[in-house]
């Protein structure tokens, strides 16, 4: 296993990080089996584990907490906050009120006194970033977290956050966690260069393109739209949708390339995500031991320039063949009123 320094934090982490979203009700509900997968990852040299409060409504954090008993000091532990936890108002977002409340719940579920990397899971337009940075800075000073970062933030939001931190004397985001794969390379345009400029660590998620690079979904096969990811996200997998045609064509060419290398498509995908110089660690999210073992094979693969040139021909740099983050939409796109004539003009018409 290779290791890299997480931005300028001085913390060394494995180039591949164990993502635990699939441990719990939405993936593997067997706590003992999930624990065995976590232990196998640690035994393979992974020292970086990423979870979130909202994964299976806290169950993932509970599983991780049990699995790390006796091994906590050897692990760089990351979790996240933002998405709603339960019914009612003020039970989500990036406010000081919620962050201070939810970090205590995460510490309890994880059975630890500190979190190495506490991440803001998504932007929150209702909360001033100064409010968020101030709360996170206080948690560092209190020793409850060691560093903090963000996840799936636009490049412009990172620039604003760094500007606010500098002018208000606050600690700053040390990491960013964006989606990144061969089929979703949009972050190469501005996000990754911005992270490099500010010395931020980058841990990427979804190297298998939400399942599209597993090799299960191929143009020549009948895609079962009634089960698995295809049933949950038909807009991504339905071969009848024109927007999926480019993805299926790219997968065919990538599968051929992987075969020429004597590798599987997932191995190629996992290796690619760790190649960009701005990327510190690639999150892999297995549900089973067998999936972990398959993904770890990609962790030991280094792609040469000829292979990377061929990938660039199949999916040009900076190109997104699908919308990588379907869990969040900026209000500027989600709210039609944000991109139409001013409210006063609409009221008068």
């Amino acid at each position: 296993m290779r290791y890299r320094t997480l931005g300028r934090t001085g913390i060394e982490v494995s180039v591949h990080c164990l993502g635990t979203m699939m441990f719990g009700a939405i993936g593997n509900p067997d706590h003992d089996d999930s624990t065995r997968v976590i232990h196998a990852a640690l035994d393979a040299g992974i020292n970086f584990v990423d979870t979130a409060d909202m994964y299976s409504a806290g169950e993932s954090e509970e599983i991780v907490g049990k699995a790390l008993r006796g091994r906590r000091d050897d692990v760089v532990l990351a979790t996240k906050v933002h998405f709603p936890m339960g019914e009612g108002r003020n039970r989500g977002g990036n406010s000081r009120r919620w962050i201070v409340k939810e970090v205590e719940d995460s510490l309890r579920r994880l059975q630890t006194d500190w979190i190495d990397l506490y991440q803001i899971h998504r932007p929150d337009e209702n909360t001033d970033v100064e409010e968020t940075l101030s709360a996170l800075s206080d948690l560092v000073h209190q020793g409850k977290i060691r560093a903090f970062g963000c996840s799936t933030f636009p490049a412009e939001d990172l620039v604003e956050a760094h500007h606010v931190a500098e002018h208000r004397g606050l600690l700053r985001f040390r990491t960013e966690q964006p989606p990144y794969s061969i089929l979703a390379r949009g972050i190469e345009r501005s996000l990754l260069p911005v992270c490099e400029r500010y010395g931020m660590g980058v841990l990427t998620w979804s190297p298998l393109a939400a399942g599209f690079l597993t090799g299960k979904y191929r143009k020549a096969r009948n895609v079962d739209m009634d089960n698995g990811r295809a049933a949950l996200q038909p807009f991504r997998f339905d071969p009848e949708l024109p927007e999926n045609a480019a993805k299926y064509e790219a997968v065919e060419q990538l599968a051929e390339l992987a075969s020429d290398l004597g590798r599987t498509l997932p191995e190629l995908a996992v290796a690619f995500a760790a190649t960009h110089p701005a990327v510190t660690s690639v999150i892999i999210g297995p549900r089973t031991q067998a999936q972990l073992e398959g993904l770890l094979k990609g962790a030991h693969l280094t792609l040469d320039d000829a292979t990377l040139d061929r990938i660039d021909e199949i999916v040009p740099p900076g190109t997104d063949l699908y919308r990588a983050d379907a869990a969040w939409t900026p209000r500027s796109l989600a709210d039609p009123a944000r991109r139409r004539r001013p409210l006063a003009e609409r009221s008068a018409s």
Side-chain angles (χ1 to χ4, degrees):
M1 183 62 63
R2 295 169 292 162
Y3 300 87
R4 296 171 180 168
T5 303
L6 188 61
R8 295 177 184 159
T9 65
I11 301 172
E12 288 193 5
V13 297
S14 48
V15 170
H16 289 82
C17 170
L18 180 67
T20 65
M21 186 177 73
M22 298 308 294
F23 299 149
I26 67 170
N28 186 347
D30 187 326
H31 287 209
D32 291 337
D33 187 52
S34 296
T35 295
R36 283 190 289 270
V37 177
I38 294 172
H39 286 172
L42 300 183
D43 293 341
I46 287 178
N47 76 334
F48 198 9
V49 177
D50 178 77
T51 185
D53 57 357
M54 57 85 68
Y55 293 164
S56 294
E59 188 181 5
S60 172
E61 285 188 330
E62 292 173 354
I63 292 171
V64 170
K66 289 188 288 187
L68 295 186
R69 289 174 186 166
R71 307 185 71 162
R72 176 66 185 90
D73 289 343
D74 299 322
V75 173
V76 178
L77 180 58
T79 191
K80 299 182 281 294
V81 62
H82 167 80
F83 286 105
M85 294 288 288
E87 300 295 330
R89 297 181 182 277
N90 298 312
R91 294 188 56 79
N94 301 344
S95 69
R96 170 181 287 271
R97 185 181 194 274
W98 179 241
I99 290 171
V100 170
K101 162 70 169 61
E102 189 57 14
V103 73
E104 298 293 345
D105 289 343
S106 286
L107 288 168
R108 173 180 51 78
R109 288 188 292 259
L110 290 165
Q111 300 182 39
T112 186
D113 294 326
W114 82 97
I115 294 165
D116 294 291
L117 179 62
Y118 199 49
Q119 301 158 101
I120 302 300
H121 213 152
R122 293 293 187 276
D124 177 5
E125 293 186 357
N126 294 321
T127 304
D128 193 325
V129 70
E130 181 180 352
E131 173 87 356
T132 302
L133 294 174
S134 175
L136 293 169
S137 296
D138 287 347
L139 292 178
V140 172
H141 297 318
Q142 294 165 15
K144 293 180 180 179
I145 65 176
R146 299 293 188 254
F148 57 84
C150 51
S151 176
T152 320
F153 271 46
E156 60 269 23
D157 284 14
L158 295 184
V159 173
E160 179 189 6
H162 280 275
H163 176 80
V164 169
E166 180 180 358
H167 285 268
R168 297 299 187 186
L170 300 170
L171 299 181
R172 60 189 179 89
F173 286 133
R174 291 292 187 175
T175 63
E176 160 61 13
Q177 185 181 139
Y180 183 50
S181 71
I182 298 177
L183 300 185
R185 303 182 61 178
I187 64 171
E188 295 173 346
R189 290 182 175 273
S190 58
L191 182 71
L192 291 181
V194 164
C195 289
E196 287 183 296
R197 187 180 310 153
Y198 286 112
M200 298 178 68
V202 176
L203 47 158
T204 65
W205 55 273
S206 197
L208 300 184
F212 221 89
L213 294 177
T214 61
K216 179 180 179 181
Y217 304 99
R218 301 288 295 276
K219 187 167 62 172
R221 299 176 186 171
N222 291 324
V223 178
D224 184 359
M225 297 300 299
D226 297 322
N227 293 291
R229 289 179 180 268
L232 294 173
Q233 300 174 318
F235 61 92
R236 281 183 171 164
F237 300 97
D238 189 349
E240 299 300 321
L241 296 178
E243 56 266 33
N244 289 332
K247 289 193 293 183
Y248 277 103
E249 181 58 39
V251 166
E252 292 304 311
Q253 297 181 60
L254 292 168
E256 181 179 352
L257 175 59
S259 178
D260 290 343
L261 296 172
R263 296 286 188 163
T264 66
L265 184 56
E267 289 171 24
L268 178 68
V270 169
F272 168 83
T275 300
H276 196 288
V279 173
T280 310
S281 188
V282 177
I283 298 173
I284 55 175
R287 182 175 53 85
T288 65
Q289 182 90 21
Q291 290 177 354
L292 172 66
E293 293 171 356
L295 291 169
L296 285 177
K297 292 179 181 178
H300 300 291
L301 173 62
T302 300
L303 304 180
D304 59 23
D305 286 344
T307 301
L308 294 171
D309 287 343
R310 178 60 184 135
I311 290 174
D312 286 349
E313 292 173 358
I314 298 170
V315 182
T319 300
D320 283 332
L321 294 187
Y322 76 103
R323 185 185 157 206
D325 178 29
W328 176 78
T329 301
R331 193 179 299 177
S332 58
L333 300 180
D335 182 359
R338 290 294 187 96
R339 56 183 187 274
R340 296 178 182 175
R341 59 190 183 279
L343 179 60
E345 293 182 13
R346 284 189 279 121
S347 301
S349 62

